[in-house]
Amino acid sequence: NQQNLLLRGTSGTIPDMITYRQRAGKTIISKKRGKSSVPATDTQLGIQEQFRKAVAWAKGAIKDPVVKAMYRAKAALGQSAFNMATADAYNPPKVDGIRTDGYHGAVGDTITVKATDDFAITGLTVSIASAAGDLIESGDAVMQINETDWLYTATKANAAPAGSKITATAKDGPGNSTAFSVTL
């Protein structure tokens, strides 16, 4: 593995020509990217704003040594804690499904929610509303040992579970949340 002593550790841009950057201990040389001559679409502007917010969150997050260490521990070769924090802030958690076969409207019945995140889900709430839309109950689910299933145990009786709406809302560290609902 020979390295060019002249370029080792180099980063920066030679105006209007090329850019040098470091990634995983290697120097990468690329053509300097210019501004697009095509105006950005509303979708592109929305994505750019979402990315700006993710970067801002990541900058603050890695100032906390404990949070930075958690992100660094999850980083693959060539990734930094900042990269991981940015990705976490950019990607909201996913609720992949709600299993209601253990729920029949009685106190103690269970609902299982499958939810994932690129880093970690920090909390998951389940709410149960009647067919008419009235809130029956809402509370925190408990993460199971496999770290993708969350178990919610009903605390109030629901005399008419048919037509009830079950909503699961997963949250992650950066504050992203995703809700998913099923109707019985």
Side-chain angles (χ1 to χ4, degrees):
N1 184 8
Q2 296 178 351
Q3 290 196 8
N4 184 327
L5 295 177
L6 182 62
L7 298 178
R8 186 185 320 161
T10 302
S11 64
T13 299
I14 297 175
D16 299 323
M17 293 175 59
I18 55 178
T19 297
Y20 294 88
R21 61 188 169 94
Q22 299 297 310
R23 177 67 82 195
K26 295 184 179 187
T27 303
I28 298 170
I29 304 170
S30 61
K31 179 181 175 184
K32 182 178 182 237
R33 185 178 167 155
K35 276 192 140 191
S36 175
S37 61
V38 179
T41 65
D42 288 343
T43 301
Q44 289 170 328
L45 291 172
I47 290 169
Q48 289 172 9
E49 180 60 23
Q50 185 181 358
F51 187 73
R52 266 192 288 282
K53 287 179 181 177
V55 168
W57 187 87
K59 284 179 180 178
I62 65 168
K63 288 180 181 177
D64 180 329
V66 173
V67 174
K68 184 175 183 176
M70 288 189 309
Y71 282 119
R72 183 175 287 141
K74 282 257 192 164
L77 182 65
Q79 289 182 312
S80 66
F82 178 77
N83 295 144
M84 292 300 297
T86 302
D88 190 25
Y90 188 79
N91 298 307
K94 294 179 182 134
V95 178
D96 301 313
I98 301 173
R99 226 177 65 227
T100 59
D101 55 338
Y103 181 74
H104 307 286
V107 172
D109 285 355
T110 59
I111 297 167
T112 303
V113 178
K114 183 170 282 304
T116 56
D117 187 63
D118 58 340
F119 189 71
I121 293 175
T122 57
L124 190 136
T125 58
V126 173
S127 62
I128 303 170
S130 70
D134 298 323
L135 181 65
I136 296 169
E137 67 177 289
S138 182
D140 294 330
V142 177
M143 184 172 55
Q144 301 302 288
I145 196 164
N146 66 3
E147 297 185 1
T148 60
D149 289 344
W150 293 72
L151 187 68
Y152 180 76
T153 304
T155 59
K156 295 187 180 170
N158 180 0
S164 293
K165 184 177 180 181
I166 313 293
T167 302
T169 304
K171 295 181 181 176
D172 66 7
N176 297 316
S177 66
T178 301
F180 181 78
S181 299
V182 296
T183 302
L184 300 177

